[in-house]
Amino acid sequence: MINKLELNIEIIIKEYGNYVFKIVDNTVKNSLSYQDKEEIVSDTFFLLWKNQDKIDHNLKSYLAAIAKNCSYQRLNKAREDIQFDEDINGFKDDVENIIYVEQLLKRLTREEIKVFKLYYVNGYKIKEISKMTDKSSTNVKVILYRIRKKLREGKKDV
């Protein structure tokens, strides 16, 4: 067992940082952003530091287990945060579908992605989005219509 005084987190991060990032990257693939992956790596080292008194075997395999668990938790949270209306409702709640939705979202402009996230992910009402984006409610409705249309068309191509 490693003593708390023996565990120097800075040295461990330097030595195993790339290793942990590779595990996270291979686990989540393109489902999460680079920043999310970096946060998972940080969470991994935080949990290592927090639970250092529980390490009773190989540090490298312990880090790998923490990194995978943190990755799966973040993927599950990402799935829970995405909310769909009737047009998108048929998707299963798994990683493959998150990747599928991300491919569809690549068809959208930055403005459309912003409105999509505000409406579908964050759950804001059209009037609230209108105020946030300085657009009329009608304009926000048109943008949402175009988004749904692009996503429907994308379903045929993907």
Side-chain angles (χ1 to χ4, degrees), residues 24-106:
V24 170
D25 192 45
N26 287 336
T27 304
V28 302
K29 305 214 185 291
N30 294 328
S31 298
L32 298 174
S33 69
Y34 183 82
Q35 290 82 6
D36 286 332
K37 292 174 187 178
E38 285 182 332
E39 284 182 26
I40 294 169
V41 171
S42 295
D43 292 346
T44 299
F45 286 112
F46 172 74
L47 287 171
L48 172 72
W49 174 80
K50 184 177 174 186
N51 299 308
Q52 58 188 291
D53 56 332
K54 297 178 184 174
I55 302 171
D56 60 356
H57 61 286
N58 185 308
L59 178 62
K60 192 172 183 178
S61 62
Y62 191 79
L63 278 169
I66 295 173
K68 285 181 183 178
N69 286 336
C70 286
S71 298
Y72 293 135
Q73 286 174 351
R74 184 63 66 94
L75 285 171
N76 286 336
K77 185 175 180 339
R79 282 196 305 252
E80 290 169 5
D81 288 346
I82 297 176
Q83 299 173 3
F84 300 99
D85 71 354
E86 304 87 38
D87 295 328
I88 306 174
N89 217 359
F91 295 115
K92 292 179 188 172
D93 223 8
D94 62 8
V95 175
E96 290 177 1
N97 287 322
I98 290 174
I99 294 169
Y100 174 71
V101 170
E102 285 181 346
Q103 289 173 345
L104 291 176
L105 292 177
K106 288 179 182 175

Side-chain angles (χ1 to χ4, degrees), residues 116-148:
F116 178 90
K117 287 180 179 178
L118 289 170
Y119 187 75
Y120 290 103
V121 178
N122 298 327
Y124 288 106
K125 297 187 182 327
I126 290 174
K127 286 182 181 180
E128 295 170 317
I129 297 169
S130 174
K131 289 177 185 174
M132 288 182 211
T133 59
D134 292 327
K135 297 182 183 315
S136 69
S137 294
T138 304
N139 195 350
V140 172
K141 289 177 187 178
V142 168
I143 292 170
L144 287 168
Y145 170 79
R146 289 180 185 155
I147 290 169
R148 288 189 291 271

